[in-house]
Amino acid sequence: MSTETTTAAGGPTGPADVPAKGLRAGILDLGDSVMLGLASTAPVYSLAATLGLIVAVNGNYTPLILLLGFVPVLFIAYAFRELNSAMPDCGTTFIWARRAFGPWAGWLGGWGVALAGVVVLANLAQVAGQYVWLLVGDGSLAGNSLVVTATGVLFIVFMTLVNYRGIRLGEHVQRVLTYVQYVSLGIFAVAIIFRIAGGVPEGQAFDLEWFNPAGAFADPGAVVHGALLALFIYWGWDTCLAVNEETENPATTPGRGAIISAFVLMAIYVSVALLVMMYATVGTDGIGLGNEANQNDVFLAMKDVVLGPWGWLIVVAVLASVLSSTQTTILPTARGTLSMGVHGALPPRFGEVHPRNQTPGFSTQVMGAAAVAYYVLMSILSEDLLADSISSISLFIAFYYALTGFACIWYFRSTLRGSARNLWFRGVLPLLGALMLTAAFFVSAVQMWDPDYGDTQIFGVGGAFVSGVLLLALGVVLAAVCRFAPSTRGYFLQRQPPAARTQSESTRRP
């Protein structure tokens, strides 16, 4: 393992030392960073699975809701950028929260990142397993639970292996999957444009009223519900921050990649939503976005009408979207636990980097195994419970995004008066984003408490709430275990771990 220490500029009290971990430095450029940010959100699948749900709540105001959901995401993206400029450590929220608030906050922030990744991998595996069999024969095998689960497990294992073998191999696979999904989505969008231009009697014309806040806020509850749905389809752009130590100019390039990918995602979501609304309408009949039969996947309902015999392209696009997100979800979770191992928050084995592949070998394997175990266990217990546990992801994301926003304000508190730029990008915007996400956390929790929320009930409470709270509480239990474990208690006592101490000492050698 490398024993060098990289130094980042921009901290409030001087540069911060970031222990080199043996990762392959400088292998990714800005384009790679943006691509990873875009791929991680699974934009085609996110739109397909979420657009109908937002329309059901907000109707024609859906484009405005997509913009409102983007606002806190953008504000937190600025927090990620500023913190990364000072501490370009692949642990991201873990290391930033630790520096701002102490070891417990850091550990729980790292847990939030890992938890969201593991749970969403179960969702992605389920969707990948279904979509691959939709392309085979008459598609009936997509309804076979055993076949779908086995296929999903194979996809997780394969993507784990890709990440284990090296960041460059992963980047090549990611580039192919990204091209496939965006080319397919582009063909779908162009086909809709031609059909609209040719005249669609049952369609609806564009109307500026769709962006009118006064009309949307006539039902504030609907706006809040829709914005919560929209908020989390943007999640994933922070992957480009988790590979900061493998990116050119790690203090600046990943932050730029995060901001660029966030804006590109917003443009894709709003423009595609507008086209689909104009063509299919928000009605409740046929391919209408308000039709309950279409809400789980609006593109699947439209594919044959829009593309005819080429309708399979949209199935391929969703599948490529899910697979690319599977790979890029493993990246930040493995690198987060790598950083936790290097800094002593997890056993030293987690801090090991494969000497030839220059990847977090053990952490990658553990994340893949955890995702497989969770997916198989939930599938055996109940597919409804699996679906509800996936719904609880919103709690995990809101938790660690909000923690990052608050960490930014506190870490840079002494510099906020230094310039207008510092005040806005290190103070005001991260604070607003963190407050919005904190509110989203509690609103989501209240909604999930309702026994009618989701598909399961546990002790008279919504299954999504119970599974979400239990998984978050598990992080507190594991942190307490690590607090007293011989190999990790030094982290909580804020002692420098042996690995990091060796790295720091090496920089003082002549």
Side-chain angles (χ1 to χ4, degrees), residues 414-507:
S414 64
T415 71
L416 297 183
R417 295 183 181 180
S419 67
R421 180 199 178 280
N422 285 354
L423 177 63
W424 281 99
F425 291 109
R426 295 180 171 182
V428 175
L429 297 183
L431 176 61
L432 290 175
L435 291 175
M436 290 178 187
L437 286 161
T438 301
F441 178 93
F442 287 105
V443 171
S444 294
V446 169
Q447 290 178 346
M448 292 176 188
W449 176 274
D450 188 339
D452 293 328
Y453 186 97
D455 301 316
T456 60
Q457 295 182 24
I458 302 176
F459 303 121
V461 179
F465 178 87
V466 174
S467 60
V469 169
L470 285 178
L471 288 171
L472 284 172
L474 177 61
V476 178
V477 173
L478 292 176
V481 170
C482 289
R483 165 62 179 82
F484 296 101
S487 63
T488 53
R489 64 187 176 193
Y491 163 80
F492 289 91
L493 298 175
Q494 302 196 55
R495 298 171 183 164
Q496 195 174 23
R501 183 163 59 248
T502 300
Q503 291 164 344
S504 296
E505 291 171 351
S506 71
T507 63

Side-chain angles (χ1 to χ4, degrees), residues 93-94 97-98 101-110 399 403 491:
T93 297
F94 154 70
R98 176 201 176 195
F101 302 125
W104 282 89
W107 206 101
L108 293 175
F399 168 72
L403 179 61
Y491 163 80

Side-chain angles (χ1 to χ4, degrees), residues 173-471:
V173 172
Q174 194 58 240
R175 192 173 293 277
V176 171
L177 291 172
T178 300
Y179 288 160
V180 169
Q181 65 172 308
Y182 280 103
V183 168
S184 300
L185 181 63
I187 293 172
F188 182 69
V190 170
I192 291 179
I193 291 173
F194 274 105
R195 290 184 178 276
I196 292 174
V200 183
E202 64 275 17
Q204 58 182 355
F206 173 81
D207 192 340
L208 283 175
E209 174 62 24
W210 300 348
F211 294 92
N212 181 8
F217 278 91
D219 186 351
V223 172
V224 172
H225 189 182
L228 286 173
L229 289 170
L231 176 64
F232 298 106
I233 67 174
Y234 290 101
W235 172 59
W237 49 264
D238 49 311
T239 292
C240 51
L241 278 303
V243 293
N244 46 18
E245 296 184 51
E246 295 152 280
T247 306
E248 296 175 354
N249 303 315
T252 56
T253 299
R256 292 174 184 168
I259 301 299
I260 293 171
S261 60
F263 272 106
V264 172
L265 283 168
M266 181 270 293
I268 290 172
Y269 287 151
V270 174
S271 59
V272 173
L274 285 171
L275 287 175
V276 173
M277 283 174 57
M278 292 171 65
Y279 181 75
T281 79
V282 297
T284 57
D285 299 323
I287 62 172
L289 302 182
N291 188 336
E292 289 187 10
N294 303 336
Q295 285 180 7
N296 290 332
D297 192 333
V298 295
F299 290 168
L300 199 61
M302 296 176 60
K303 65 182 181 65
D304 293 329
V305 178
V306 175
L307 295 174
W310 293 90
W312 56 269
L313 273 176
I314 203 63
V315 179
V316 170
V318 174
L319 179 59
S321 178
V322 169
L323 291 179
S324 65
S325 185
T326 300
Q327 183 200 337
T328 51
T329 298
I330 296 171
L331 283 173
T333 53
R335 279 151 181 77
T337 52
L338 168 72
S339 181
M340 293 177 76
V342 168
H343 290 279
L346 288 176
R349 186 77 188 276
F350 283 89
E352 295 179 359
V353 169
H354 193 284
R356 183 179 69 255
N357 299 335
Q358 294 182 280
T359 60
F362 182 72
S363 287
T364 300
Q365 292 173 332
V366 169
M367 288 302 105
V372 167
Y374 182 81
Y375 175 41
V376 172
L377 178 63
M378 289 292 102
S379 297
I380 292 173
L381 292 176
S382 168
E383 288 193 5
D384 289 339
L385 184 58
L386 171 62
D388 279 350
S389 69
I390 290 167
S391 297
S392 66
I393 292 174
S394 61
L395 298 178
F396 315 146
I397 300 168
F399 168 72
Y400 87 81
Y401 271 10
L403 179 61
T404 304
F406 289 126
C408 181
I409 303 157
W410 192 249
Y411 182 76
F412 290 114
R413 63 190 183 280
S414 64
T415 71
L416 297 183
R417 295 183 181 180
S419 67
R421 180 199 178 280
N422 285 354
L423 177 63
W424 281 99
F425 291 109
R426 295 180 171 182
V428 175
L429 297 183
L431 176 61
L432 290 175
L435 291 175
M436 290 178 187
L437 286 161
T438 301
F441 178 93
F442 287 105
V443 171
S444 294
V446 169
Q447 290 178 346
M448 292 176 188
W449 176 274
D450 188 339
D452 293 328
Y453 186 97
D455 301 316
T456 60
Q457 295 182 24
I458 302 176
F459 303 121
V461 179
F465 178 87
V466 174
S467 60
V469 169
L470 285 178
L471 288 171

Side-chain angles (χ1 to χ4, degrees), residues 53-63 65 204 210 277 282 289:
L53 298 174
I54 299 176
V55 167
V57 178
N58 298 98
N60 282 326
Y61 294 108
T62 292
I65 298 302
Q204 58 182 355
W210 300 348
M277 283 174 57
V282 297
L289 302 182

